Amino acid sequence: MQTRSCQVLIIGGGPGGYPAAIRAGQLGLDTIIVDKHGLGGTCLNRGCIPSKAMIHAATKYEEMSKHAEKDELGISLAEAPKLDMGKLVGWKDGIVSKLTGGVGQLIKAAGVEHISGWARFKDAKTCVVDTDEGEIEITAEHVVLATGSVEVELPFLPFGDKVIGSTDALDLSEKPEKLVVVGAGYIGLELGIAFRKLGSEVTFIEASDGILPLYDKEITRPITMWLKKHKVAVNLSCKAKGMTEKGGMAVLEYEDAKGETQSIEADKILVAVGRKACLDGWGVENMGLDLVDGRFIKVDDQCRTGMRNVWAIGDVVGEPLLAHKATAQGEMVAELIAGHKRVFDPVSIAAVCFTEPEVVGVGLTPDEAKAKGEEVITGKFPLAASGRYLSMEAGTDGGFVRVTARESDHVILGIHAVGTHVSELSGEFALAIEMGARLEDIAGTIHVHPTLTEGFLESALTALGHPIHISAPKK
Ligand code: FAD
């Protein structure tokens, strides 16, 4: 067996691990990164990027279909568009390989070695990597665990031909005519809506009493409206129970809100009920690490585990399971190892659902702020009053920007928006919260016209009682 040693050994090449490796390389640390399933991790290979590519293609197809049905904006198409799912998936794969190839080049340029293989720890600092060329034993001064997360599989709906997870859903060679999605969280909704736009008949089965359970009803209402308008059935308070096959179709059995057993036919059943930390099969039990409820690796505010010089970042350390959180932690850990003073203490981490319409949330909702004992004021600006929004044909989807601020000093505690393209507002929202902005700071910043950012400005003005483009709220 080959043996190696290094200063920093990073396990996992996702948006946590690869930025940690690049930053460690930039800082002159002798670094090795190990990944089995390709640099870029879940995010680039089977998560954020491929799903957004598919959503984009689906939106384009839906728009073209509309123009073929009806002359809108003076644009008509003589024929309905044709969908070649294989080519769509091929286009998506092209984007993935461009990006993962780019990550490989960045890793190399930073002087970091990438080893492709599965890592298993013998103890906290010794790891054996199974590669195609044989085993390599690596000892390291510092170990960074960035093993990410995997899809949750329901024991009574095991993944297979008819029952698929998000990874398979992004690789289908044919569009399912009938798709049942178990789980109406963000992944299920993003993919379910994309398939609806591609023409699938889509039905949701959701155990809780609302879609996107982390958001309040005001925020989810425009998505509910879209689903209704597009004849997507959403069965709430319903629990999937199992599946049989009949005449080549899957038949999902579920218990409805009244406790009665129902069934529904599908070509494919997409199970999107969440993700869990990747803790199996790599020897975490040999490392003497503490876990949180057995589900995630326990870390402090510098991503240190209980074991000296063993660090953990990204999905494997728990919520929020988001790529940008993993990246921020990865960069921080590399800098800490290099001797910088850093701490992971964001005021809030923005989250986006690339649904139709999109949702962005940073900080507290009004209810969450009140539950924390805050007296709040809110300002809500309907995007139907935005010139930019109307010019993008988006005026009727119920979109808005809502700001929540502390009543006493007007410090902004939360910003939420729902609407077409509002994901692009997440940067300004996150900055406002992180910088401790007050409503007056936003109101006093000149926002570009015509852009959706004016919606944020107007929501702050509304909270202050003097919006320009809607009537002032009654006192
Ligand atoms: P991962 O990206 O999971 O990477 C971990 C890597 O480690 C994997 O490549 C794995 O193979 C490898 N690995 C694990 N164990 C070993 C081992 N022992 N040896 C070798 N290699 C190993 N997040 C967002 O912020 N925005 C989005 O829009 C978004 N959309 C998503 C859509 C979908 C469909 C999915 C599934 C996820 C989405 N996410 C999104 C979540 C995002 O992908 C994750 O939060 C992010 O990838 C976590 O990064 P990570 O580095 O912690 O782990």
Side-chain angles (χ1 to χ4, degrees):
M1 190 190 322
Q2 257 195 70
T3 55
R4 301 284 303 278
S5 64
C6 61
Q7 280 177 292
V8 184
L9 172 64
I10 298 169
I11 308 301
Y18 85 74
I22 292 171
R23 190 71 188 113
Q26 287 171 349
L27 291 162
L29 298 165
D30 170 25
T31 304
I32 294 176
I33 183 166
V34 177
D35 195 294
K36 171 73 180 166
H37 301 114
L39 288 171
T42 304
C43 177
L44 262 61
N45 291 286
R46 51 195 169 274
C48 327
I49 299 298
S51 61
K52 270 76 238 182
M54 182 166 253
I55 289 166
H56 171 77
T59 303
K60 193 164 190 165
Y61 179 79
E62 192 209 18
E63 279 178 8
M64 292 174 80
S65 306
K66 268 202 238 158
H67 287 285
E69 268 173 32
K70 205 166 121 205
D71 173 349
E72 278 183 352
L73 287 59
I75 300 171
S76 58
L77 286 174
E79 270 185 60
K82 292 190 181 71
L83 176 67
D84 182 330
M85 205 59 199
K87 281 191 185 160
L88 190 161
V89 168
W91 167 75
K92 177 266 299 176
D93 288 344
I95 293 168
V96 169
S97 57
K98 202 171 190 174
L99 290 171
T100 52
V103 170
Q105 283 168 9
L106 292 169
I107 292 274
K108 207 169 160 192
V112 173
E113 185 182 352
H114 168 220
I115 296 177
S116 179
W118 185 255
R120 271 193 194 82
F121 282 85
K122 284 165 64 174
D123 60 50
K125 305 283 170 52
T126 318
C127 167
V128 175
V129 183
D130 254 324
T131 74
D132 289 347
E133 288 78 39
E135 291 188 337
I136 306 173
E137 185 173 284
I138 307 173
T139 48
E141 288 168 32
H142 292 267
V143 167
V144 182
L145 300 169
T147 57
S149 62
V150 291
E151 295 172 62
V152 171
E153 194 171 355
L154 295 172
F156 49 87
L157 283 176
F159 294 145
D161 173 41
K162 296 287 181 203
V163 180
I164 58 174
S166 60
T167 303
D168 300 320
L170 293 165
D171 269 331
L172 290 177
S173 53
E174 274 178 43
K175 174 192 82 182
E177 289 307 321
K178 287 187 178 189
L179 176 70
V180 171
V181 185
V182 179
Y186 88 92
I187 293 179
L189 276 171
E190 286 186 7
L191 295 176
I193 288 173
F195 278 105
R196 181 69 196 110
K197 288 181 175 180
L198 291 171
S200 300
E201 188 183 314
V202 177
T203 303
F204 283 92
I205 303 292
E206 165 59 48
S208 66
D209 62 359
I211 60 169
L212 290 177
L214 292 181
Y215 295 92
D216 59 53
K217 291 263 183 308
E218 188 170 51
I219 294 164
T220 57
R221 192 173 301 124
I223 304 168
T224 303
M225 271 164 50
W226 188 94
L227 294 168
K228 211 169 171 182
K229 189 170 162 196
H230 291 81
K231 300 189 171 50
V232 176
V234 181
N235 298 293
L236 300 173
S237 308
C238 290
K239 292 190 192 83
K241 289 280 175 207
M243 187 212 69
T244 52
E245 279 194 58
K246 195 173 144 199
M249 297 287 280
V251 181
L252 177 81
E253 282 204 348
Y254 66 95
E255 189 184 292
D256 70 13
K258 292 182 196 142
E260 284 165 16
T261 301
Q262 306 287 350
S263 62
I264 180 166
E265 273 196 353
D267 296 290
K268 298 281 180 196
I269 298 168
L270 166 59
V271 176
V273 293
R275 298 182 62 79
K276 60 175 186 179
C278 176
L279 290 173
D280 293 334
W282 53 265
V284 67
E285 61 284 357
N286 303 329
M287 299 181 80
L289 305 181
D290 294 330
L291 302 181
V292 184
D293 304 330
R295 294 171 60 222
F296 298 108
I297 297 176
K298 188 172 176 190
V299 288
D300 66 9
D301 59 4
Q302 292 183 314
C303 290
R304 293 175 195 272
T305 67
M307 183 62 71
R308 202 166 160 263
N309 293 346
V310 176
W311 314 73
I313 57 174
D315 282 6
V316 78
V317 302
E319 296 287 350
L321 307 189
L322 292 171
H324 39 289
K325 181 208 72 173
T327 299
Q329 290 181 328
E331 286 177 67
M332 176 192 72
V333 163
E335 293 184 0
L336 281 166
I337 293 172
H340 297 198
K341 286 198 167 56
R342 291 289 311 273
V343 67
F344 190 72
D345 187 23
V347 179
S348 175
I349 299 172
V352 168
C353 307
F354 292 82
T355 41
E356 189 63 66
E358 294 175 349
V359 172
V360 49
V362 196
L364 304 174
T365 63
D367 287 345
E368 286 166 348
K370 284 176 205 157
K372 283 181 181 267
E374 299 280 7
E375 300 277 329
V376 298
I377 51 173
T378 59
K380 182 177 158 188
F381 180 74
L383 287 165
S386 150
R388 178 65 184 138
Y389 210 58
L390 262 61
S391 72
M392 300 192 309
E393 301 174 77
T396 57
D397 66 4
F400 61 85
V401 181
R402 184 184 73 197
V403 64
T404 304
R406 193 181 293 130
E407 190 173 26
S408 58
D409 57 9
H410 293 181
V411 168
I412 297 174
L413 302 173
I415 312 159
H416 291 80
V418 53
T420 303
H421 296 310
V422 294
S423 57
E424 298 301 335
L425 301 179
S426 58
E428 186 181 356
F429 292 175
L431 187 66
I433 296 264
E434 201 58 44
M435 303 295 284
R438 293 161 188 247
L439 293 170
E440 288 79 357
D441 296 318
I442 306 308
T445 303
I446 298 174
H447 285 72
V448 173
H449 178 72
T451 65
L452 296 184
T453 66
E454 292 168 295
F456 183 32
L457 165 69
E458 288 277 359
S459 71
L461 291 173
T462 307
L464 292 169
H466 49 87
I468 298 297
H469 291 95
I470 54 171
S471 310
K474 289 202 178 80
K475 293 246 161 93

